[in-house]
Amino acid sequence: MTARSRVVTTLPMRARARAAQLPSTGVRDTRDRALRDLRISVTDRCNFRCVYCMPKEIFGRDYAFMERSELLSFEEIERLAAAAVSLGVDTLRITGGEPLLRRGIEDLIARLAALRTPDGRRPNLALTTNGSALRVKAAALKTAGLDRVTVSIDSLDDARFQAINDVNFPVSRVLDGIAAAADAGLGPIKVNAVITRGINDDEIVPLARYFRDRGTTLRFIEYMDVGSSNGWVLDEVVPSAEIVAMINAVFPLEPVAASRPGETAKRWRYRDGSGEIGVISSVTSAFCGDCSRARVSADGKLYTCLFAREGFDLRALIRSGVDDAELRATLARLWSVRDDRYSELRASLPNVPQPERIEMSYIGG
Ligand code: SAM
Ligand code: SF4
Ligand code: SF4
């Protein structure tokens, strides 16, 4: 089986026509959504086999991961990011697979930290990681120019954490990594927890308590039907409303306004002033209306939705020798024809197996 999907290398005529009307900076899609975030996957490999993301039965010994020559080089990623930033992207998030497995990742961070938005600001630079290498890498990442990290941790119970990552990685080493990131100044640190019914829903309050006591923002993610390999069923999704109610019963909460348009997490703060949590309700409360994110896979395919089946082959375009202006114009065209709103449509999809979609480990979340 392959997690990759169909690739597009040419643009429809209507895209070319729209490109002619592009403003010099900023680009909006067919639903008037701006392009603000670019998520860049730097590898499809990972040292974990989280059961909901890279189940061992599929991502086993003979799984065909990308060859090194297939990956975008740091120079290619830098060109692409520069084009995106010139079009209004103000947040670059590095992801994977596990991004800290990519050799020399600090060099890429340093290149991206040197980019400037059209009005002279540095884009926000963030990275999502499983935290396994953070203890070793945190200081170097900060020195290179990384602003903040998000660390994924679904359980505080060591046996359960090891069962979820399925490679017996101890939770204490991830917690050490979070501490190292805080010491290095990579903050404010966010922690992501995917909650799955029957797996870790009894840890909602313990997780909230632990990170509340340490002043770390915890974000609960609804288990999503990304990819085709994790056997997702709706019954395993714990709705955000349920999560908020459980925490509110112990630590009273109140809603917080979004800090910017397109924010994925709905924010809640503890009424006693001891910080906040977020809930990402992709399944029960779609936020496509504000979605400002584009994603690039490690082999250079651009996806305008997490649930897309088709990507545009930017690597082929770059390696064909296009100049920066053409690269930028192509990105703008691709965004300008975007019409995605999968999560809003999910409920109306027929209850039959859907065609194969890209995997989370390929696109990076
Ligand atoms: N390896 C890094 C990590 O785990 O943070 C970065 C890549 S991982 C694909 C990015 C995020 O996606 C993680 O927080 C992970 O928990 C989340 N994720 C993976 N599969 C998911 C699913 N089916 N539903 C919801 N979140 C998922
Ligand atoms: Fe690896 Fe992250 Fe997927 Fe877990 S969620 S398997 S750490 S890519
Ligand atoms: Fe954005 Fe697609 Fe997710 Fe909707 S389903 S929020 S369009 S990535």
Side-chain angles (χ1 to χ4, degrees), residues 67 69 85 130 140 159 175 184 321:
E67 299 293 334
S69 60
V85 166
N130 63 22
L175 295 173

Side-chain angles (χ1 to χ4, degrees), residues 1 25 80 124 295 322:
M1 113 122 220
T25 61
L80 225 153
N124 298 310
R295 295 170 163 89
V322 292

Side-chain angles (χ1 to χ4, degrees), residues 225-289:
D225 48 336
V226 193
S228 310
S229 66
N230 61 7
W232 182 91
V233 287
L234 185 58
D235 289 352
E236 290 177 347
V237 177
V238 181
S240 293
E242 197 176 317
I243 293 172
V244 170
M246 284 171 82
I247 298 172
N248 184 50
V250 183
F251 305 117
L253 292 165
E254 61 190 7
V256 185
S259 57
R260 63 179 206 134
E263 204 167 54
T264 47
K266 280 208 184 92
R267 298 164 59 199
W268 294 80
R269 80 178 141 232
Y270 295 110
R271 282 181 188 267
D272 67 2
S274 56
E276 57 179 75
I277 61 158
V279 286
I280 301 179
S281 321
S282 160
V283 180
T284 61
S285 178
F287 38 80
C288 302

Side-chain angles (χ1 to χ4, degrees), residues 134-332:
L134 210 43
R135 200 174 44 164
V136 181
K137 296 229 169 209
L141 292 167
K142 178 67 186 176
T143 306
L146 188 67
D147 294 314
R148 49 201 169 84
V149 285
T150 299
V151 184
S152 306
I153 186 163
D154 304 324
S155 172
L156 292 167
D157 176 88
D158 193 44
R160 186 181 283 172
F161 184 76
Q162 295 195 25
I164 293 174
N165 66 54
D166 213 8
V167 293
N168 298 118
F169 197 92
V171 71
S172 58
R173 282 180 54 194
V174 178
L175 295 173
D176 287 351
I178 295 175
D183 288 348
L186 282 172
I189 295 166
K190 288 183 182 152
V191 169
N192 280 351
V194 177
I195 302 298
T196 312
R197 177 103 48 214
I199 303 283
N200 62 347
D201 48 337
D202 58 340
E203 284 201 69
I204 291 168
V205 172
L207 278 162
R209 179 181 291 112
Y210 182 91
F211 288 108
R212 175 181 184 271
D213 288 348
R214 286 156 183 80
T216 303
T217 299
L218 175 62
R219 300 180 327 161
F220 293 95
I221 306 180
E222 286 179 350
Y223 176 38
M224 289 185 280
D225 48 336
V226 193
S228 310
S229 66
N230 61 7
W232 182 91
V233 287
L234 185 58
D235 289 352
E236 290 177 347
V237 177
V238 181
S240 293
E242 197 176 317
I243 293 172
V244 170
M246 284 171 82
I247 298 172
N248 184 50
V250 183
F251 305 117
L253 292 165
E254 61 190 7
V256 185
S259 57
R260 63 179 206 134
E263 204 167 54
T264 47
K266 280 208 184 92
R267 298 164 59 199
W268 294 80
R269 80 178 141 232
Y270 295 110
R271 282 181 188 267
D272 67 2
S274 56
E276 57 179 75
I277 61 158
V279 286
I280 301 179
S281 321
S282 160
V283 180
T284 61
S285 178
F287 38 80
C288 302
D290 278 339
C291 181
S292 56
R293 289 171 295 285
R295 295 170 163 89
V296 181
S297 61
D299 58 350
K301 310 292 184 304
L302 183 95
Y303 293 90
T304 55
C305 179
L306 187 52
F307 297 90
R309 296 192 184 98
E310 291 180 353
F312 183 90
D313 193 348
L314 289 172
R315 185 187 69 193
L317 185 77
I318 292 172
R319 293 187 184 174
S320 74
V322 292
D323 63 13
D324 290 343
E326 178 61 20
L327 180 58
R328 179 178 182 278
T330 304
L331 268 183

